[in-house]
Amino acid sequence: MAPGNFSRVTEFILLGLSDTKELQVLFFTFFFLAYAMVLLGNLLIIVTVRTDPKLSSPMYFLLCNLSFIDICCTSVTSPRMLVDLLSQRKAIAFEHCIAQLFFLHFVGASEMFLLTVMAYDRYTAICKPLHYTAIMSRQACWVLVSACWAGGFLHSIVQTLLTIQLPFCGPNTIDNYFCDVPPVIRLACTDIYVTEWLMASNSGLISLVCFLVLVTSYMFILATIRVRFTEGHWKALSTCASHVMVVTLFFVPCIFIYLRPFSTFPSDKLICVIYTVFSPVMNPLIYTLRNNEMKASMQRLWKRC
């Protein structure tokens, strides 16, 4: 359609997870509890790490940043979803939709990069223990975390610019509970073949490359542990097992959603729930219940309070 021959869409209608009132009430209760767990669990991790001098290692510094990103990530989608579950008309302004899309990819890509850095931290601690303090110094940790945020910002800017340059003039119904690149660009009044492949190569390749780097680092870790197994390596292996659980919950759904042409599958909305809700919920559980140092520090914090 030629530019100027259309009236631009000013809002989108989100279909949500279900149009059945009983299910909406059930979903509201479930996701409200999940959101509360994300906030309380990750805030508890941040406060514990920040107040306990014994948790000053790079691993806990990175974990503290992961908890902050998880709070940001779920706060981009969950509050809006909770409001819409109790609303008759689930409309979102075009500008708000683009803002949600931007911040979702900003914090989402930052989390991917941070999980990769955390895997590198465990690889260095296990495979190069004599050089660990020099490689993962506090200054190096700050540089790596800043690079994660910068990488997430650049990724999100590309996705957002490719989206807002498209003309939106026809249907405005999004079959999801939040604004994301795949469902939004399918509503454009133009051929999006090139755009969708550019976006897929951006988001999808980032997800896949980070995942492959993570898998490679774990392979080196397992090979090192198998050669020289000690009690300390068993503790490190337990920590890595927790990390693998987080990675699986987060990366596999992202790869499925973004590393393909943006066609619709009935399971897409449920898969989105995994990395926007379940993954942030599982992080505080995995990193506290499976970590004796964190549990001991939380007990000391509770006694002080």
Side-chain angles (χ1 to χ4, degrees):
M1 181 176 292
N5 291 339
F6 60 87
S7 57
R8 189 173 182 85
V9 169
T10 59
E11 67 177 14
F12 293 108
I13 305 298
L14 300 171
L15 296 183
L17 294 172
S18 174
D19 55 359
T20 304
K21 187 174 181 180
E22 290 76 12
L23 282 178
Q24 288 181 350
V25 174
L26 180 64
F27 285 148
F28 176 85
T29 304
F30 174 78
F31 289 117
F32 177 80
L33 293 175
Y35 185 50
M37 289 178 61
V38 172
L39 295 181
L40 295 177
N42 285 292
L43 282 174
L44 179 60
I45 290 176
I46 293 174
V47 172
T48 302
V49 173
R50 297 288 294 177
T51 57
D52 194 337
K54 295 183 179 180
L55 302 180
S56 58
S57 67
M59 181 181 75
Y60 293 109
F61 173 78
L62 297 174
L63 175 59
C64 185
N65 282 274
L66 178 64
S67 295
F68 176 72
I69 289 181
D70 276 336
I71 292 174
C72 296
C73 187
T74 193
S75 296
V76 173
T77 58
S78 292
R80 177 82 204 190
M81 176 178 60
L82 293 173
V83 171
D84 286 343
L85 285 171
L86 300 180
S87 304
Q88 292 292 332
R89 188 170 184 270
K90 304 172 179 60
I92 181 171
F94 179 85
E95 294 78 9
H96 296 169
C97 182
I98 297 300
Q100 187 180 58
L101 183 152
F102 170 80
F103 285 108
L104 177 68
H105 281 266
F106 179 25
V107 295
S110 299
E111 181 165 356
M112 289 184 183
F113 296 137
L114 183 61
L115 287 170
T116 307
V117 170
M118 292 177 71
Y120 175 72
D121 170 72
R122 291 300 83 205
Y123 162 78
T124 307
I126 296 172
C127 300
K128 299 181 179 180
L130 298 179
H131 304 283
Y132 178 67
T133 54
I135 296 175
M136 296 300 296
S137 63
R138 180 50 64 99
Q139 182 180 3
C141 288
W142 275 109
V143 170
L144 290 171
V145 170
S146 300
C148 292
W149 284 104
F153 179 78
L154 291 175
H155 160 75
S156 185
I157 280 291
V158 172
Q159 297 290 90
T160 305
L161 291 178
L162 287 173
T163 301
I164 62 176
Q165 56 86 28
L166 295 173
F168 295 93
C169 58
N172 66 338
T173 302
I174 298 176
D175 188 16
N176 211 326
Y177 59 92
F178 64 96
C179 289
D180 197 6
V181 171
V184 170
I185 70 168
R186 280 199 299 270
L187 302 178
C189 305
T190 186
D191 182 15
I192 60 170
Y193 179 81
V194 175
T195 302
E196 69 176 354
W197 278 106
L198 286 173
M199 291 183 168
S201 62
N202 187 342
S203 297
L205 283 181
I206 287 177
S207 305
L208 182 61
V209 169
C210 289
F211 183 70
L212 292 177
V213 171
L214 287 162
V215 171
T216 303
S217 67
Y218 292 133
M219 290 175 63
F220 279 112
I221 289 173
L222 290 175
T224 302
I225 291 177
R226 193 169 70 91
V227 172
R228 52 178 195 271
F229 193 84
T230 64
E231 184 179 352
H233 284 125
W234 172 258
K235 179 182 175 182
L237 182 61
S238 177
T239 302
C240 290
S242 302
H243 197 181
V244 169
M245 294 174 65
V246 175
V247 166
T248 303
L249 280 174
F250 187 72
F251 277 93
V252 174
C254 289
I255 292 172
F256 177 80
I257 292 293
Y258 297 111
L259 194 62
R260 59 180 170 86
F262 296 151
S263 54
T264 304
F265 290 96
S267 60
D268 281 359
K269 287 190 286 188
L270 296 178
I271 292 174
C272 290
V273 170
I274 295 176
Y275 69 85
T276 59
V277 178
F278 282 135
S279 181
V281 168
M282 293 302 295
N283 279 354
L285 295 177
I286 289 173
Y287 282 109
T288 55
L289 297 181
R290 293 179 56 86
N291 190 312
N292 292 329
E293 289 182 349
M294 283 294 300
K295 288 189 289 187
S297 295
M298 288 180 178
Q299 290 174 358
R300 289 193 294 269
L301 177 65
W302 176 257
K303 291 178 180 179
R304 290 199 302 269
C305 293

